[in-house]
Amino acid sequence: MFFERPQSGERAILVHIDLASEADAEDPRELEELALSAGADPIFFLLGSRSDPSPRFFLGKGKVEELSQLVQEHQAELVIFNHALSPAQERNIEREVKCRVLDRTGLILDIFAQRARTHEGKLQVELAQLEHMSTRLVRGWTHLERQKGGIGLRGPGETQLETDRRLLRARIKAILKRLDKVRKQRDQGRRARVRAEIPTVSLVGYTNAGKSTLFNTITSANVYAADQLFATLDPTLRKVQLPDVGPIILADTVGFIRHLPHKLVEAFRATLQETAEADLLLHVIDSHDDERQTHIEQVNDVLSEIGADDRPVLLVYNKIDLLDGFEPRIDRDEDGHPVRVWLSAQQDQGIDLLIDAVNERLSGSMFEGMLELSPSEGQFRSLLYAKEAVLDERIDDNGRIILQVRLQQKDFRQMLSRLQIPAERYLPAVVDND
């Protein structure tokens, strides 16, 4: 984002400070995973603690000196903080350590820039980067700060800065306009699915929980999946056929993370709209992770931020192959509805249970029974076959067609309404699975 990426991993020093004033602290291990995902080569981890961050350096003066010595000693090319730094703090630390400094937000933005593949994804990442960069523009022009005026000393520093800011604003405006067009196209596709009554199921979860591996296993797709943070960035949609429900749209989405930068949430709002309007969310959880409960809470926070906290959720505990003696299973609530599925997407264990659970959660009330049709009711018979609702068919001695059918109650009601058949004629045969 702010620099040319070299062929080999950049030598990086990671910095994590425990703050007494910070209730929800970042995880140092996660910073290391983020750095590795960005292609850095972490060579030292500087830890410390403070009651509050220093306004000037974030760190204390002694820690800044220690960091400067570490940079020289290890010939580090980059310092990465596990915190959000102000533009002034970033510049001040850079002056002291003579090395580029990146905060947590900048690191995540850089990973997103590497992962974006689609046109929309690249636009969204660029928007987030430009908005982040707009507060840090002065860093590129520090060599002009001393040009106060006078013969031979006048320079275009301020003018150049203003020019850059205008160009930045113009680019942001252009991207927003193009993203608005993409958003309208996405909304059209979503409305078409609603008209066709095709349910949408969206995979959500903490980054690296195994969403893309699960997506590939269910759909036989070839979405990029790797053991790294934010392996998937661009949303992928696939159609899947369920026994009682029929076709559904399964959506693989970007992984969430603790304190996901607000700029990214805003930039990816169009993509995350698939999640906010899904009929069912599959919250994929790494069952082997010690921090899984914290990650569940972080995902719920992001769902709340994008307005998806009211969506029905089915918890999917993945990676059970890493747990000793754990078999795939479905956990149900007191009413018998599926609430949790334990499986391993990597080993293809328990996928059938997940399909069954999703089928149950989406199917709702089912009509199941025997229908007696006269030979003149051929249109009724054809519609039932079109819905793949006929389980068995025979003709009795009087020439009447006896059909054994099973289909969603709402589809059956629409069919009866279309044929102007009174619903009361068949309602006693309805079996309510809810």
Side-chain angles (χ1 to χ4, degrees):
M1 179 175 70
F2 300 120
F3 48 85
E4 292 294 324
R5 187 171 289 106
Q7 295 299 315
S8 59
E10 290 180 278
R11 296 168 63 83
I13 292 178
L14 311 184
V15 180
H16 174 86
I17 304 297
D18 286 320
L19 299 172
S21 59
E22 195 173 40
D24 187 14
E26 306 292 358
D27 184 357
R29 291 177 304 173
E30 192 170 81
L31 175 64
E32 187 172 5
E33 290 179 23
L34 285 168
L36 290 169
S37 294
D41 177 19
I43 53 177
F44 194 89
F45 214 130
L46 179 62
L47 301 172
S49 59
R50 283 181 64 86
S51 55
D52 292 291
S54 159
R56 187 178 180 193
F57 292 115
F58 191 89
L59 307 169
K61 189 174 181 181
K63 277 291 178 188
V64 173
E65 292 175 358
E66 183 182 352
L67 179 59
S68 181
Q69 290 173 0
L70 287 170
V71 168
Q72 294 178 15
E73 180 183 336
H74 294 280
Q75 296 183 327
E77 303 160 277
L78 182 63
V79 173
I80 305 175
F81 277 72
N82 199 20
H83 311 273
L85 300 178
S86 70
Q89 287 170 336
E90 219 169 82
R91 289 196 302 272
N92 291 337
I93 296 169
E94 281 186 343
R95 287 196 190 100
E96 293 295 319
V97 302
K98 306 293 190 296
C99 177
R100 282 175 300 108
V101 173
L102 207 57
D103 70 353
R104 181 183 169 86
T105 300
L107 178 62
I108 293 174
L109 285 170
D110 187 79
I111 296 171
F112 271 52
Q114 295 181 56
R115 301 282 191 271
R117 294 291 179 268
T118 65
H119 176 63
E120 180 187 4
K122 290 175 180 177
L123 285 175
Q124 289 169 325
V125 170
E126 186 180 356
L127 175 63
Q129 284 184 317
L130 290 175
E131 290 179 338
H132 183 71
M133 199 186 299
S134 62
T135 59
R136 288 159 164 77
L137 262 184
V138 69
R139 174 166 70 177
W141 298 100
T142 50
H143 62 290
L144 299 173
E145 286 178 353
R146 291 185 298 277
Q147 297 186 3
K148 304 295 184 184
I151 297 172
L153 295 176
R154 296 183 182 94
E158 187 64 22
T159 306
Q160 181 63 60
L161 202 55
E162 284 303 312
T163 302
D164 279 3
R165 283 177 177 152
R166 278 196 300 274
L167 291 172
L168 209 63
R169 287 194 294 269
R171 179 61 181 160
I172 288 174
K173 188 175 179 181
I175 292 175
L176 286 171
K177 188 174 180 180
R178 290 164 73 179
L179 278 175
D180 188 55
K181 184 178 179 181
V182 172
R183 189 175 291 118
K184 288 177 180 175
Q185 291 171 343
R186 188 180 288 279
D187 287 343
Q188 286 177 349
R190 196 179 294 115
R191 284 196 295 270
R193 294 200 298 272
V194 170
R195 284 196 300 271
E197 294 187 337
I198 301 177
T200 300
V201 177
S202 186
L203 293 170
V204 299
Y206 209 77
T207 182
N208 205 28
K211 295 183 299 300
S212 294
T213 303
L214 180 60
F215 183 86
N216 288 339
T217 304
I218 294 174
T219 64
S220 300
N222 194 26
V223 172
Y224 178 66
D227 184 19
Q228 56 185 196
L229 302 187
F230 300 118
T232 302
L233 182 57
D234 300 305
T236 308
L237 307 180
R238 290 288 187 275
K239 187 178 286 188
V240 178
Q241 198 77 18
L242 294 184
D244 291 332
V245 181
I248 68 165
I249 298 297
L250 186 65
D252 186 20
T253 59
V254 61
F256 299 155
I257 196 169
R258 180 195 311 263
H259 302 153
L260 187 67
H262 187 71
K263 295 180 181 66
L264 281 175
V265 175
E266 281 300 313
F268 280 78
R269 191 164 291 280
T271 301
L272 295 171
Q273 199 67 24
E274 292 288 350
T275 297
E277 298 185 8
D279 296 276
L280 179 65
L281 301 181
L282 299 185
H283 182 169
V284 184
I285 301 156
D286 182 351
S287 61
H288 186 253
D289 195 333
D290 295 335
E291 297 284 322
R292 72 184 188 192
Q293 191 55 45
T294 303
H295 292 172
I296 290 172
E297 293 167 4
Q298 294 293 336
V299 170
N300 289 338
D301 287 345
V302 178
L303 290 176
S304 178
E305 190 171 351
I306 64 174
D309 50 336
D310 61 340
R311 298 288 84 194
V313 177
L314 177 63
L315 300 178
V316 181
Y317 283 80
N318 190 23
K319 305 186 183 181
I320 64 167
D321 54 302
L322 301 178
L323 303 175
D324 292 333
F326 214 93
E327 295 296 324
R329 72 166 193 256
I330 297 178
D331 292 343
R332 299 176 180 273
D333 61 16
E334 58 273 12
D335 297 319
H337 298 146
V339 291
R340 281 181 296 275
V341 180
W342 300 76
L343 54 77
S344 170
Q346 185 75 44
Q347 302 299 321
D348 198 0
Q349 298 173 358
I351 303 300
D352 53 337
L353 297 179
L354 177 61
I355 297 297
D356 291 343
V358 172
N359 195 58
E360 281 189 55
R361 291 292 295 265
L362 290 178
S363 61
S365 297
M366 299 295 296
F367 174 92
E368 187 168 6
M370 306 295 292
L371 304 181
E372 291 186 13
L373 307 183
S374 66
S376 62
E377 294 181 293
Q379 185 181 6
F380 194 3
R381 176 180 175 274
S382 296
L383 289 174
L384 288 166
Y385 268 100
K387 280 287 185 183
E388 299 182 351
V390 179
L391 303 178
D392 188 38
E393 178 180 9
R394 62 183 176 85
I395 299 176
D396 67 8
D397 296 339
N398 298 320
R400 296 181 66 80
I401 303 169
I402 311 298
L403 296 176
Q404 181 185 355
V405 299
R406 176 179 169 83
L407 73 165
Q408 288 192 56
Q409 186 181 140
K410 65 179 180 64
D411 292 337
F412 189 56
R413 284 181 177 276
Q414 289 173 355
M415 196 180 297
L416 294 175
S417 176
R418 177 178 172 183
L419 298 171
Q420 297 183 334
I421 298 173
E424 295 78 11
R425 177 176 164 187
Y426 298 105
L427 278 178
V430 170
V431 178
D432 194 345
N433 288 343
D434 277 351

